[in-house]
C-alpha cells in the first residue's frame, strides 16, 4: 500500500512536466556579447567615433579606462550567466576583482578633483557629463534586457545579487560604448560621469530584477 501511494504521489508530481533545454554557458555569453556589440554599433552610428580613434591614435587614459569598463562588463556578464545555473561549489565572486580595478577610476577622480580649485574641479566634467550619463545608461539597456531574459530562463538562487551584477555588467558595457565617442580624457570626467551609468544600472538591477526572476 505504501509503495502504491508513493507511485501515485510521484505520478501526480511529475504530471504535466515537459523536458526543457539546458542553459549553455556559451550561448549566454554570446547573447551578452551580441547585445553589447549591438549597443556599441548603434552609439557609433548615431554619434561617431572619437577623432583620435579615427586617426589611429590612442590616448593612454582612454585606453586604460575603456579597457577597465570592458573587462568589468565581461567579468560581470560571465558571473550572471553562471548564476543562472546554480551548481554546488560554483564561485560567483570573480567579477569583484574587475569591479575593484574599475573602482580606481572614481577614486582617482575624487583625489584629483579635491586637489583642484573650486569651480575648476567641477566645470570641466560637467561640460558634457550629463550626455555621457544619459547615453551610456541608454546604451546599457540592451545588455540589461538580455541578461535579465537569460536569468528568467534559469534558476538563480540569489536574485538580488544576480540583479546587482547584471546591472553592473550592463552599465559597464554601456559606458564602454559611449566612451568610444566621448573625446574627454580628463580623469575627473571619466571617474565621475563614465562611472555613473554603472552605479545607476547596478541600483536599477538590484531593485527590479529580483521581482522579475522569482521562481
Amino acid at each position: 500500500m505504501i509503495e502504491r501511494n508513493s507511485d501515485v504521489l510521484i505520478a501526480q508530481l511529475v504530471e504535466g512536466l515537459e523536458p526543457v533545454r539546458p542553459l549553455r554557458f556559451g550561448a549566454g555569453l554570446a547573447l551578452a556579447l551580441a547585445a553589447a556589440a549591438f549597443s556599441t554599433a548603434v552609439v557609433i552610428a548615431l554619434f561617431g567615433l572619437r577623432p583620435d580613434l579615427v586617426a589611429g591614435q590612442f590616448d593612454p587614459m582612454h585606453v586604460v579606462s575603456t579597457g577597465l569598463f570592458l573587462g568589468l562588463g565581461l567579468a560581470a556578464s560571465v558571473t550572471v550567466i553562471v548564476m543562472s545555473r546554480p551548481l554546488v561549489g560554483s564561485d560567483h565572486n570573480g567579477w569583484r576583482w574587475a569591479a575593484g580595478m574599475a573602482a580606481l577610476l572614481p577614486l582617482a577622480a575624487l583625489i584629483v578633483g579635491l586637489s583642484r580649485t573650486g569651480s575648476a574641479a567641477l566645470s570641466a566634467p560637467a561640460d558634457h557629463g550629463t550626455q555621457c550619463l544619459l547615453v551610456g545608461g541608454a546604451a546599457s539597456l540592451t545588455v540589461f534586457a538580455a541578461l535579465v531574459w537569460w536569468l528568467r530562463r534559469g534558476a538563480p538562487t540569489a536574485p538580488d545579487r544576480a540583479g546587482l551584477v547584471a546591472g553592473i555588467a550592463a552599465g559597464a558595457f554601456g559606458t564602454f560604448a559611449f566612451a568610444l565617442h566621448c573625446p574627454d580624457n580628463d580623469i575627473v570626467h571619466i571617474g565621475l560621469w563614465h562611472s555613473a551609468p554603472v552605479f545607476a544600472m547596478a541600483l536599477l538591477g538590484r531593485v527590479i530584477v529580483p521581482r522579475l526572476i522569482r521562481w
Side-chain angles (χ1 to χ4, degrees), residues 92-115:
H92 300 155
N93 297 321
W95 66 275
R96 295 183 179 180
W97 293 99
M101 296 297 294
L104 293 175
L105 294 174
L107 178 62
L110 177 63
I111 295 172
V112 174
L114 291 176
S115 68

Side-chain angles (χ1 to χ4, degrees), residues 1-11:
M1 178 67 67
I2 296 178
E3 292 183 358
R4 181 178 303 176
N5 291 339
S6 299
D7 293 339
V8 172
L9 177 61
I10 293 174

Side-chain angles (χ1 to χ4, degrees), residues 8-197:
V8 172
L9 177 61
I10 293 174
Q12 291 175 345
L13 290 175
V14 302
E15 184 179 2
L17 294 181
E18 298 180 359
V20 297
R21 181 178 300 177
L23 297 179
R24 299 185 181 277
F25 174 83
L29 183 59
L31 175 66
L33 293 178
F38 174 79
S39 296
T40 302
V42 171
V43 169
I44 293 175
L46 293 177
F47 299 95
L49 285 172
R50 287 165 48 112
D52 56 349
L53 294 183
V54 175
Q57 301 173 353
F58 302 92
D59 179 84
M61 177 56 66
H62 178 257
V63 172
V64 171
S65 61
T66 53
L68 287 174
F69 285 117
L70 177 61
L72 177 58
L74 289 171
S77 295
V78 168
T79 300
V80 172
I81 296 166
V82 172
M83 292 179 73
S84 67
R85 302 185 307 165
L87 298 173
V88 176
S90 59
D91 185 9
H92 300 155
N93 297 321
W95 66 275
R96 295 183 179 180
W97 293 99
M101 296 297 294
L104 293 175
L105 294 174
L107 178 62
L110 177 63
I111 295 172
V112 174
L114 291 176
S115 68
R116 296 177 180 176
T117 58
S119 61
L122 299 176
S123 60
D127 184 21
H128 61 279
T130 303
Q131 184 186 33
C132 292
L133 169 60
L134 295 179
V135 179
S140 306
L141 296 178
T142 302
V143 178
F144 185 70
L147 291 177
V148 172
W149 178 78
W150 189 261
L151 286 171
R152 285 174 59 86
R153 293 185 59 199
T157 57
D160 51 349
R161 185 167 56 172
L164 175 70
V165 181
I168 291 174
F173 275 130
T175 292
F176 169 80
F178 193 69
L180 297 179
H181 162 76
C182 177
D184 204 324
N185 298 319
D186 181 72
I187 182 58
V188 177
H189 172 84
I190 293 173
L192 176 61
W193 295 107
H194 288 199
S195 300

